[in-house]
Amino acid sequence: MAVLTSLSPSRANDFIQCPLKFRFRSIDKLPEPPSQAAFRGTVVHSVLEKLFTAPAEQRTTDHAQSLLMPAWTELVDKDPEVLEIFTTEAEQAEFFTSARKLLDAYFTLEFPEHLEPDETEKFVRTTLDSGLELRGFIDRIDVAPGGEKRLVDYKTGKQPKPQYGREAKFQMGFYALVEYRLTGELVHTLQLMYLGSRSVLKSHPTMADIEATQFEIDAIWKDIVAAAKTDRWRPRKSPLCNWCTFKPLCPAWGNAAPPTPEITEIVGA
């Protein structure tokens, strides 16, 4: 049984990319094997979160590197099966090499010793008038002495070309909307930090942006509700299909999808 009462930016992006992928993840809740890239991102995020628990003068490259192995160990202890993604010791060695490079890249983008984040890995949620709950985790929230708020998100990949950057921008707009609904204040800056390309993308949302984001979320949810009512979760072919765990279950590739589980509650239905 499944309920559809909340939405995160990643699940919203799933539906835009492929409604059937959304169904498999959000309704069927099918297990997905971990990937080295995703696990590397989790480890690096953990290190950067822990970095800001140290006194300002200790937030150095060396200290960040010293946090890498403990972060790895902690995450592996929580889920030992993640080790199955590494078939050789050489793969593990390359994993650590690439993670170290990403941490080094972070220190080329800002000076953490000069920052005092208000919160890290903050879980946020708000409920729209429709009853839909918006939820997610913000990597870091900075508040300037003048009160201006900045939302920061770390990306361990490279900055995409403008035509492929919609997902990340939507994610940040989503969080700006949630923060506005929670505090009644506009976020001053949205900051995406692409460690893979050592680049930073900043934007300054306006009320028009907040309203446009809510309009987009409402439209996405309306389409999700319609798909749930009719049980029509159309697959959407794209080059990303080659990396999709669910391709063996996808009718667009000549395969058979399992029956949709029963949905017991849908907000807006």
Side-chain angles (χ1 to χ4, degrees):
M1 294 184 182
V3 296
L4 287 173
T5 58
S6 64
L7 193 65
S8 68
S10 55
R11 294 294 79 84
N13 277 321
D14 281 345
F15 188 83
I16 294 170
Q17 186 187 114
C18 175
L20 186 59
K21 182 179 182 179
F22 171 90
R23 195 207 101 179
F24 285 151
R25 280 183 166 165
S26 300
I27 299 174
D28 299 58
K29 298 188 184 301
L30 298 180
E32 295 180 74
S35 69
Q36 289 189 26
F39 186 53
R40 180 167 48 245
T42 301
V43 171
V44 170
H45 274 74
S46 177
V47 169
L48 293 176
E49 180 185 4
K50 290 177 170 61
L51 180 68
F52 283 100
T53 65
E57 66 274 10
Q58 293 180 21
R59 295 175 200 157
T60 64
T61 303
D62 288 344
H63 183 57
Q65 298 291 352
S66 75
L67 295 172
L68 183 57
M69 182 56 74
W72 157 283
T73 301
E74 179 182 347
L75 291 166
V76 169
D77 286 345
K78 287 181 181 178
D79 181 16
E81 292 183 4
V82 76
L83 292 176
E84 295 176 6
I85 62 179
F86 302 100
T87 57
T88 65
E89 290 186 4
E91 283 190 357
Q92 280 197 27
E94 173 54 31
F95 177 92
F96 281 104
T97 297
S98 59
R100 291 189 185 99
K101 288 180 179 178
L102 291 171
L103 292 173
D104 284 342
Y106 166 74
F107 284 87
T108 69
L109 299 177
E110 64 181 5
F111 301 100
E113 68 272 23
H114 296 159
L115 299 171
E116 287 300 336
D118 192 58
E119 295 188 70
T120 58
E121 285 298 312
K122 181 184 179 183
F123 176 69
V124 292
R125 64 182 172 190
T126 188
T127 301
L128 302 181
D129 295 342
S130 64
L132 173 64
E133 181 185 84
L134 306 183
R135 55 180 171 77
F137 284 90
I138 301 174
D139 287 344
R140 200 179 84 213
I141 300 177
D142 300 333
V143 179
E148 298 91 350
K149 186 177 291 184
R150 175 172 63 184
L151 307 186
V152 179
D153 192 77
Y154 308 117
K155 301 295 184 187
T156 49
K158 294 182 179 180
Q159 182 175 338
K161 294 179 180 179
Q163 62 267 37
Y164 300 117
R166 192 209 67 82
E167 288 190 8
K169 290 180 180 178
F170 172 78
Q171 175 191 14
M172 298 306 285
F174 185 105
Y175 289 141
L177 168 63
V178 173
E179 279 291 308
Y180 177 76
R181 290 186 61 86
L182 290 173
T183 66
E185 299 176 356
L186 267 178
V187 170
H188 182 270
T189 304
L190 301 174
Q191 180 167 301
L192 286 160
M193 303 185 72
Y194 290 95
L195 306 185
S197 54
R198 302 192 176 202
S199 56
V200 175
L201 186 63
K202 296 182 181 181
S203 62
H204 304 287
T206 64
M207 271 309 303
D209 295 325
I210 296 295
E211 291 167 359
T213 297
Q214 179 154 349
F215 182 84
E216 183 177 6
I217 290 170
D218 288 339
I220 293 169
W221 189 250
K222 182 180 178 180
D223 288 343
I224 290 173
V225 170
K229 283 182 175 180
T230 59
D231 193 24
R232 298 182 70 181
W233 305 94
R234 297 181 182 276
R236 186 169 294 145
K237 268 190 170 184
S238 78
L240 296 174
C241 293
N242 293 324
W243 289 272
C244 182
T245 303
F246 307 119
K247 190 175 179 180
L249 301 176
C250 184
W253 295 93
N255 302 307
T260 308
E262 179 185 358
I263 301 174
T264 58
E265 183 182 358
I266 311 172
V267 167

